[in-house]
Amino acid sequence: MKTDVLILGGGLAGLSTAYHLNECGGLSSLVVEKNAAVGGTAGSVKQGGFVFDYTGHLLHLHDPYGKNLVLGLLRGNLAAHERSSWIYSRDVYTRYPFQANTYGLPSKVVEDCLAGFFKTIHRLDWRPLSPRPSFRDWSLRQFGAGISRHFMFPYNEKLWRTPLSRMTTEWQGRFVPKPAASEVLYGALADQKKFFGYNASFRYPKRGGIQVLPDALAARLKPGQIKTSSPVLSVDLRERVAVAQGLGEVGFSRLVNTLPLVDFLDLAAPFPAAVRAARAKLRYNTVYCLNLGVNRAALPEKHWVYFPEKKYPFYRVGCYSNFAAANAPQGTSSFYIEISRRAWEKADLPRLENAVLSGLRSCRILKSGDKLLSKFWMPIRCAYVVYDFERTQAVEAIFKALGKMGVESIGRYGGWKYSFMEETILDGKRCAERLAGRSQPARLSPGDAQAELKPLK
Ligand SMILES: Cc1cc2nc3c(=O)[nH]c(=O)nc-3n(C[C@H](O)[C@H](O)[C@H](O)COP(=O)(O)OP(=O)(O)OC[C@H]3O[C@@H](n4cnc5c(N)ncnc54)[C@H](O)[C@@H]3O)c2cc1C
């Protein structure tokens, strides 16, 4: 078997590359996916009438092209939502983000947060930050000691499982809202119903879970352009041949990788010693997602909740059935509970499950009489790329070498970054344009463009 462009992985990055190569015309391409279904981390699993995603997968559409494409692909099957996200600590719910919404917390905590914040903005206890500060130092400078101690440190330690003094700030730009001093003050005095951050609103499919998005992209590819249940076993970069289970040898002229970069570097060869050394420096986290179906509408009106406190083993709990009623049978609700571990840490899932269920009862999301209609773990092996100080240089060295070999490595995991679905789709578009030698960006086919949905308030 031979193709112009071999695309490893049928998640959003791989599917988008194939879709846009077709739009550009000229080059043949083949997507090789290890699972029976396409979608990767943007897939869904159906069980007992529930639809579960790989934890919450909400569409944040910021780019005009990306938005138009997704709205066209999911024509009529998207609902718009205003985020209802919360933090649970000290036995109370406060609004997200913590730094702008301390109202309702015990007065000592509010005092700590405000005192630290105003100290830092008035430059008391102030030390200059290094040009590349750690996330820890940056948080102290940006938010002060109280907000850092009550939320930023414990929450981020739970998520990243990495000392925050070893993490850079490269990832946080749009993910950590930075309210003005007046907003921090107002949010301590009153319930500030104001939206902050890149995900203040989102869209989500009315039916079918997030799986409908990769399915819609896949449906636009040519017959036979995707080979599922075909894990790639090895890639010979010199001979330009890959071996995939069930397919045998596949020759290619150009290669697009969307597998986690660490996996690709392990199964492809040959690489210079410098690349192998850089690969050893890449770190990531595994997210263990416990999916639950519950026999009543638990946690009404909340989309997801952050849990900074150590006594809860999870860092976030979200409610799929609040994204779309069709995600759960009538009168029931469905949840994802997220726990993070370093890639090399073993998780004792039966023990963790007991701790999770007891945590959910203690914060009263579950009641003692609740029946669990569905319950299963969904590990996401490579979920978050860790932005420690070693990552930047390692990634630079690897991409320089891949560039020289004519290999594209894109998407959230191929690109080894913290990005969301729309960006992943756009990665595929730009990659296709580069491969096709297009200087002009691709445009949507008339059939795939759609007029704007009703704007959010
Ligand atoms: C916990 C979590 C929450 C998230 N929440 C959101 C959100 O709310 N909104 C949002 O926009 N984004 C969210 N994302 C990000 C989103 O999942 C990604 O941006 C996007 O799905 C990444 O797509 P990808 O194609 O780059 O990677 P993947 O989806 O990982 O695709 C890679 C594909 O390669 C396949 N593969 C792996 N090994 C092989 C092999 N050897 N041979 C063949 N195929 C192989 C995999 O099966 C997979 O299908 C979240 C991610 C995580 C982990």
Side-chain angles (χ1 to χ4, degrees), residues 132-183:
R132 276 192 84 204
S134 67
F135 180 76
R136 187 175 198 287
D137 289 348
W138 174 85
S139 171
L140 284 169
R141 165 61 63 78
Q142 181 73 33
F143 300 116
I147 291 173
S148 295
R149 196 170 59 246
H150 292 291
F151 183 79
M152 289 295 161
F153 291 172
Y155 177 75
N156 283 292
E157 277 160 5
K158 252 187 183 180
L159 170 64
W160 297 104
R161 310 285 295 183
T162 301
L164 301 180
S165 55
R166 281 205 235 139
M167 287 191 61
T168 69
T169 57
E170 290 158 312
W171 57 276
Q172 60 75 26
R174 61 214 155 126
F175 293 110
V176 182
K178 294 154 201 83
S182 55
E183 293 167 327

Side-chain angles (χ1 to χ4, degrees), residues 24 29 145 163 181 211 221-222 256 263 320 330 346 366 380 447:
C24 292
S29 66
Q211 180 76 52
L221 301 189
K222 296 174 186 160
V256 179
D263 296 349
Y320 295 117
Q330 214 178 1
K346 283 263 173 294
L366 287 184
I380 308 172

Side-chain angles (χ1 to χ4, degrees), residues 14-15 17-20 22 31 216-226:
L15 296 172
T17 306
Y19 170 86
H20 287 99
N22 292 356
V31 180
L217 263 178
R220 284 175 171 64
L221 301 189
K222 296 174 186 160
Q225 202 179 353
I226 311 173

Side-chain angles (χ1 to χ4, degrees), residues 295-430:
N295 68 333
R296 69 179 172 94
L299 201 70
E301 290 163 19
K302 290 188 171 62
H303 289 128
W304 64 88
V305 183
Y306 299 94
F307 286 82
E309 289 170 316
K310 270 213 175 95
K311 63 180 174 178
Y312 297 103
F314 35 84
Y315 62 87
R316 189 167 52 183
V317 173
C319 186
Y320 295 117
S321 46
N322 288 345
F323 304 149
N327 276 348
Q330 214 178 1
T332 68
S333 52
S334 53
F335 294 90
Y336 56 92
I337 295 100
E338 299 175 79
I339 295 121
S340 172
R341 291 283 181 270
R342 296 305 302 268
W344 42 262
E345 277 180 88
K346 283 263 173 294
D348 177 348
L349 294 186
R351 222 172 127 199
L352 205 47
E353 189 172 305
N354 284 337
V356 166
L357 295 177
S358 128
L360 290 174
R361 282 185 205 108
S362 131
C363 67
R364 294 179 297 280
I365 288 180
L366 287 184
K367 292 183 187 163
S368 54
D370 283 342
K371 252 200 184 151
L372 299 180
L373 306 174
S374 192
K375 171 167 65 84
F376 68 103
W377 285 100
M378 215 184 212
I380 308 172
R381 197 196 107 233
C382 182
Y384 287 90
V385 163
V386 174
Y387 279 71
D388 57 17
F389 280 102
E390 293 191 300
R391 176 194 164 277
T392 321
Q393 266 194 337
V395 163
E396 255 174 47
I398 293 166
F399 279 93
K400 204 167 152 199
L402 292 181
K404 281 191 190 150
M405 295 166 150
V407 175
E408 296 271 356
S409 191
I410 62 157
R412 173 163 162 135
Y413 303 107
W416 207 247
K417 58 190 175 183
Y418 187 4
S419 61
F420 48 86
M421 292 183 286
E422 183 191 54
E423 293 169 308
T424 301
I425 291 173
L426 294 174
D427 275 0
K429 171 180 181 277
R430 285 187 291 264

Side-chain angles (χ1 to χ4, degrees), residues 8-14 32-35 39-42 54-60 230-232 258-260 263 267 287 315-316 338 380 382-384 410-414 419-422 424:
L8 309 183
L12 288 177
V32 184
E33 165 58 45
K34 80 170 172 187
N35 291 333
T41 45
Y54 286 77
T55 85
H57 266 75
L58 313 164
L59 283 160
H60 313 296
S230 308
V232 178
T258 73
L259 274 46
D263 296 349
L267 60 75
V287 166
Y315 62 87
R316 189 167 52 183
E338 299 175 79
I380 308 172
C382 182
Y384 287 90
I410 62 157
R412 173 163 162 135
Y413 303 107
S419 61
F420 48 86
M421 292 183 286
E422 183 191 54
T424 301

